[in-house]
Amino acid sequence: MNRRELLATATATATAAAVLLCGSPGPARAAALPEARRLLALLRSPAAARRIGRAYLETAADEADPAKLVTLIVGDGADGGTADGDLLRHVAERQRADFAAGRTVKLDGWVLSRTEARLYALAAV
Amino acid sequence: MNDGDCVGEHRVDLLWSRLRYFGGTTGHWGGNCAPLDEHDFEERAWVPDSGWPFPKTELDDSYPKAYEYCELPSGNFSADYWAAQSASFRERRIALAGDPIGEKIMLKSPPTRFGEVYRTALARPGNRCDVYLHANVVEIETTEEASRVTALRTRGIDGQTCRFRAGIYILASGIENARLLLLSNRVRPRGLGNDHDLVGRYFMAHTTLRTGRAMLSLPEGTASYYATLGWEQRFLSEINPFIDALQPSRAAQEREGILNSVVFFEESYEGEKTPGFVAMRRIAKQIVHGRMPPNLLRDLGIVVGDLDEVVKALYARSFGDRSYKILQTRFFCEQAPDRDSRVMLGDDLDALGQRKLVLDWRLNDLDKRTIIRTQKLLAEQFGALGVGRLQVEFDSEADPWPKGVDSSAHFMGTTRMSTDPRRGVVDGDCRVHGIDNLYVAGGSVMPTSGATMVTVNIVALAVRLAGHLRSRLS
C-alpha cells in the first residue's frame, strides 16, 4: 500500500473523520447487507480500500464475513435508522476511540485503527 | 588533532563535528535552544544511572544569562505564549492533548558564533582576560599526590611548549576533557580523576533517526513550525523564531518506560531514501566539507544503478512538486547512560604526539524502545485527534538498528557529575573529585542528556560554575 492509495482511501479530514462520504458501492457479497451498503458508501475509493482490506484480512482471516465486520465496525452505537451523517460521525468516533485505546493494526507500516481496517475489509469481502 | 577512531556499530565524524579554534564548535552550531526538562534532573527508576546532584531549579537562575549569551529572541518557552504572538502559528498549531504527547518549544539563536561575537569584548583594553591561541594543552600537571593542579603544559604545532599557572583550572573542551585527563597520567597511571575508572565512560549523544512518515491533514505551512531548519530554509529572509517539537509527556515516559525524546517533521520527497540518493548525499557532504569522498567509486556506482530514482527525487525537490512531497518523522532522543559507551586513548598519535581518541559509542535496548514506543504514541495520538496517520519503518526491538542513526554531533558525558566519587568524575560544583582546584565545564559533565539541544544548557552550566567560583574566590 503506498501513500497515494492510503490518501485516496482514508485521508483524515480537518474535522477528524478518516473516511469520506460519497463513492460507489463495494462488491456484491457485502453489498447484499443494507448496513454494509451504507458503510461502503462512506468510502471515497473502494478499489484502494479493497487492497488495504485484503491486507488486513490476511492478518484477521476469521473476520472475513460481511455481517461480522458490520457488527465490529458499528458496534452497539448505531442502528439501521441512523442518518448517513451520524453514521460517518459514529465511525469516525470509533476510530478515534480505537487510537486512544491502542486498538491499532499495522498494514505496510501504516498505523490504522481496527475500525477503519475493518471498513476496508468490508470492501474486500 | 580532533580526529580519532570509532569502533563498534555506531560511528560519528569526530573530525568534522568538532572545531578547534577560538569560539569552538559554536562555529557550526545550528542555533536551536531549549532548557532541559525538570525530569531530566530526576533519578528515574526506569533509566539506569539517571539523576543529577541537583534539581533543575538550581539551574533556573543561570538560564536567563545563558539566553542572553545565546542571543535568544525571548526567554519564554511556552507554546501558548508563541500561539498568542503569532496568528499563523495559532492557525497551524497541532491541538495536542499534552498527554501522551505534548509540545516542547525550542527558540532560535542567530546562531551566536561565540568566537566572533565575544572576541571584541575580550580584546578590549583593560579587560582582565588574556586569551592565548594555538596553545594546545597536552598535560595537566599536579602535585605528587594529585590533589592540586600546579600547571597546564601546552604545545603549539611549531613544537613550542609553555606552562600556564593559575589558582583554579577549568577544562572546557567537550570530550577532549576526558582525553586530557587520561593523557595526564604521570602521577596517576590511569589518568587524573580516574580512581574509579569513570573518565571517558558514559559517552552520550542524542540518538537521532529519520524513520517513518506522516500523512497529516493540516494547513499548508504547518510543517515549518515542527521542523528543524532545512538547508533550503537558510536562504529565507524570515524564519519562525521557534520550533514546536512534539514530546511524550513525563507521565507517558514513565508508563512506557522510555527515555525523554522529541519528534520533528521534515519535508522530504519520495525517492530521497533510495540507496542512490543517499549515496549522492554522502558524496556531496564530503565535498562540501572539502574532503575527497572515501568510497567515491562505490558510491558513484550506487548512484548510477539507481539513476531513475535519483533523477525523480532531484526533479521533485528542484521544482517543489507537491505530489512527491512527504513528511518524514525525525526522532531526537535522550541516550540511555551506559558505562560501556566510552572514549579511550588509542595507539595512533596526533600532530602533537598525543594519543588520539577512540570512541566506542553504544546504544542499548532502552534507546531502541524509546524510538519505537514514541512513534507508537505519536501514531495513536494523531489518530485519536483525527490529525492524520503515521507509517512506521522501524517497529521491533528485535530488529537491528536501521542505517542512518546519527548523533546530531551532540557529544556528552565522559566526565559525568555525581556527588559520589564512585559514580561521577566531578561533583555537583563541577570540581574533579579529589583535586581541589580543577573544574570541568561543558556537556561532558552531564549525567543525562535530556531531549533538547545542548549549547544553551552548557552555557547555563558555565554561568552556574562562574557563580560558584566567584563565591569561592571571594
Side-chain angles (χ1 to χ4, degrees):
Chain A
M1 182 195 348
N2 63 30
R3 184 175 61 106
R4 289 188 183 80
E5 281 174 332
L6 194 66
L7 267 170
T9 310
T11 301
T13 67
T15 55
V19 285
L20 301 173
L21 281 165
C22 84
S24 59
R29 212 176 133 212
L33 299 170
E35 197 61 42
R37 271 203 303 277
R38 294 182 63 224
L39 284 168
L40 291 171
L42 300 177
L43 295 170
R44 187 171 61 177
S45 171
R50 272 195 291 278
R51 285 191 59 188
I52 305 170
R54 278 196 288 271
Y56 173 68
L57 289 172
E58 282 176 20
T59 69
D62 60 318
E63 292 184 15
D65 170 64
K68 187 173 184 179
L69 282 166
V70 167
T71 306
L72 288 168
I73 294 164
V74 176
D76 302 325
D79 57 33
T82 309
D84 284 347
D86 290 342
L87 184 63
L88 169 63
R89 273 188 291 279
H90 176 70
V91 172
E93 191 48 52
R94 282 181 65 85
Q95 288 181 43
R96 281 196 290 270
D98 278 352
F99 279 115
R103 289 188 298 269
T104 59
V105 58
K106 249 176 262 162
L107 297 175
D108 194 24
W110 290 102
V111 182
L112 306 176
S113 86
R114 284 262 167 202
T115 298
E116 70 183 313
R118 283 168 175 151
L119 187 60
Y120 306 147
L122 189 63
V125 293
Chain B
M1 287 180 280
N2 276 353
D3 207 359
D5 289 331
C6 289
V7 294
E9 183 185 356
H10 305 288
R11 289 162 186 267
V12 305
D13 190 332
L14 287 168
L15 186 59
W16 171 80
S17 55
R18 302 184 298 159
L19 299 173
R20 188 181 277 247
Y21 61 42
F22 184 64
T25 308
T26 62
H28 61 195
W29 169 42
N32 300 311
C33 296
L36 290 156
D37 296 310
E38 268 175 40
H39 65 280
D40 290 327
F41 294 78
E42 295 170 4
E43 189 171 341
R44 289 160 286 166
W46 64 98
V47 182
D49 291 312
S50 58
W52 290 48
F54 51 82
K56 179 168 180 279
T57 48
E58 194 164 320
L59 205 52
D60 280 344
D61 287 346
S62 304
Y63 276 120
K65 198 79 185 164
Y67 301 153
E68 199 182 305
Y69 285 135
C70 293
E71 304 176 284
L72 295 191
S74 161
N76 198 319
F77 290 84
S78 152
D80 289 341
Y81 168 82
W82 287 102
Q85 303 296 312
S86 162
S88 168
F89 176 53
R90 227 166 24 245
E91 285 164 21
R92 290 166 176 81
R93 183 179 176 192
I94 301 172
L96 294 158
D99 186 27
I101 300 290
E103 296 159 278
K104 185 173 179 74
I105 290 285
M106 296 189 180
L107 300 180
K108 291 177 182 171
S109 163
T112 307
R113 307 297 179 205
F114 277 58
E116 295 169 16
V117 173
Y118 298 112
R119 193 180 194 111
T120 311
L122 290 167
R124 196 173 295 139
N127 171 55
R128 293 169 64 194
C129 291
D130 293 322
V131 178
Y132 294 86
L133 302 176
H134 308 291
N136 303 285
V137 180
V138 292
E139 187 182 358
I140 304 164
E141 296 180 340
T142 65
T143 54
E144 278 186 20
E145 62 283 7
S147 60
R148 278 189 72 79
V149 175
T150 54
L152 299 178
R153 195 159 56 81
T154 68
R155 189 180 300 147
I157 287 289
D158 57 3
Q160 191 181 349
T161 62
C162 292
R163 263 194 184 77
F164 288 83
R165 298 185 195 282
I168 285 172
Y169 299 81
I170 306 168
L171 307 180
S173 58
I175 55 173
E176 290 292 316
N177 295 338
R179 182 185 177 204
L180 194 54
L181 290 169
L182 292 170
L183 284 169
S184 303
N185 57 3
R186 196 191 300 255
V187 174
R188 289 277 198 268
R190 295 164 77 178
L192 293 175
N194 199 25
D195 293 351
H196 299 282
D197 188 21
L198 284 169
V199 173
R201 292 189 180 274
Y202 294 96
F203 171 86
M204 299 175 293
H206 281 123
T207 320
T208 309
L209 184 65
R210 292 172 175 87
T211 182
R213 55 167 89 172
M215 184 180 68
L216 304 182
S217 183
L218 294 169
E220 176 78 12
T222 298
S224 69
Y225 290 102
Y226 295 87
T228 48
L229 209 56
W231 66 271
E232 67 274 32
Q233 290 166 288
R234 292 178 195 277
F235 304 105
L236 299 177
S237 55
E238 270 191 47
I239 54 170
N240 302 325
F242 63 90
I243 306 169
D244 189 14
L246 307 180
Q247 182 182 38
S249 65
R250 188 214 179 278
Q253 290 173 36
E254 183 166 8
R255 281 196 304 269
E256 300 286 338
I258 57 176
L259 299 154
N260 202 351
S261 68
V262 293
V263 184
F264 303 105
F265 293 121
E266 290 182 348
E267 286 194 330
S268 176
Y269 291 89
E270 287 192 34
E272 290 192 344
K273 288 184 88 174
T274 57
F277 199 86
V278 171
M280 193 190 67
R281 272 204 166 139
R282 219 164 24 229
I283 295 170
K285 185 179 171 185
Q286 294 293 328
I287 291 171
V288 165
H289 295 147
R291 294 191 299 207
M292 175 62 83
N295 300 302
L296 181 60
L297 283 178
R298 191 199 66 182
D299 280 345
L300 278 175
I302 296 171
V303 174
V304 171
D306 221 3
L307 202 55
D308 53 341
E309 291 293 337
V310 173
V311 170
K312 193 170 74 179
L314 278 175
Y315 158 79
R317 181 167 278 283
S318 304
F319 293 94
D321 189 330
R322 286 183 53 77
S323 61
Y324 289 97
K325 216 174 211 180
I326 57 175
L327 269 187
Q328 199 165 32
T329 35
R330 178 181 175 213
F331 295 83
F332 177 95
C333 309
E334 174 186 15
Q335 180 183 341
D338 184 338
R339 184 182 164 82
D340 293 329
S341 181
R342 62 188 297 200
V343 298
M344 303 164 280
L345 297 179
D347 295 326
D348 292 343
L349 302 181
D350 68 12
L352 300 173
Q354 301 286 92
R355 291 169 70 186
K356 286 185 179 178
L357 272 183
V358 172
L359 171 62
D360 186 356
W361 178 32
R362 295 193 188 190
L363 298 172
N364 62 32
D365 289 347
L366 183 51
D367 297 304
K368 254 189 205 177
R369 190 185 317 146
T370 297
I371 292 178
I372 289 166
R373 301 295 298 177
T374 299
Q375 67 183 351
K376 185 172 187 298
L377 289 175
L378 197 61
E380 289 171 358
Q381 175 85 120
F382 278 5
L385 295 172
V387 168
R389 300 289 182 269
L390 237 63
Q391 186 185 34
V392 302
E393 298 164 321
F394 175 47
D395 66 349
S396 168
E397 290 177 45
D399 288 346
W401 280 98
K403 283 185 180 172
V405 176
D406 180 42
S407 67
S408 283
H410 292 174
F411 305 150
M412 292 160 284
T414 71
T415 63
R416 74 194 318 251
M417 192 195 300
S418 171
T419 50
D420 182 350
R422 292 164 301 178
R423 299 187 61 203
V425 176
V426 301
D427 65 16
D429 292 325
C430 297
R431 186 180 63 85
V432 175
H433 282 294
I435 304 180
D436 182 54
N437 60 343
L438 181 60
Y439 288 84
V440 179
S444 68
V445 302
M446 292 167 67
T448 55
S449 62
T452 183
M453 307 303 172
V454 198
T455 301
V456 79
N457 292 287
I458 290 175
V459 177
L461 280 167
V463 170
R464 178 177 173 272
L465 175 58
H468 167 75
L469 292 177
R470 199 179 298 119
S471 56
R472 176 175 164 165
L473 292 171
S474 64

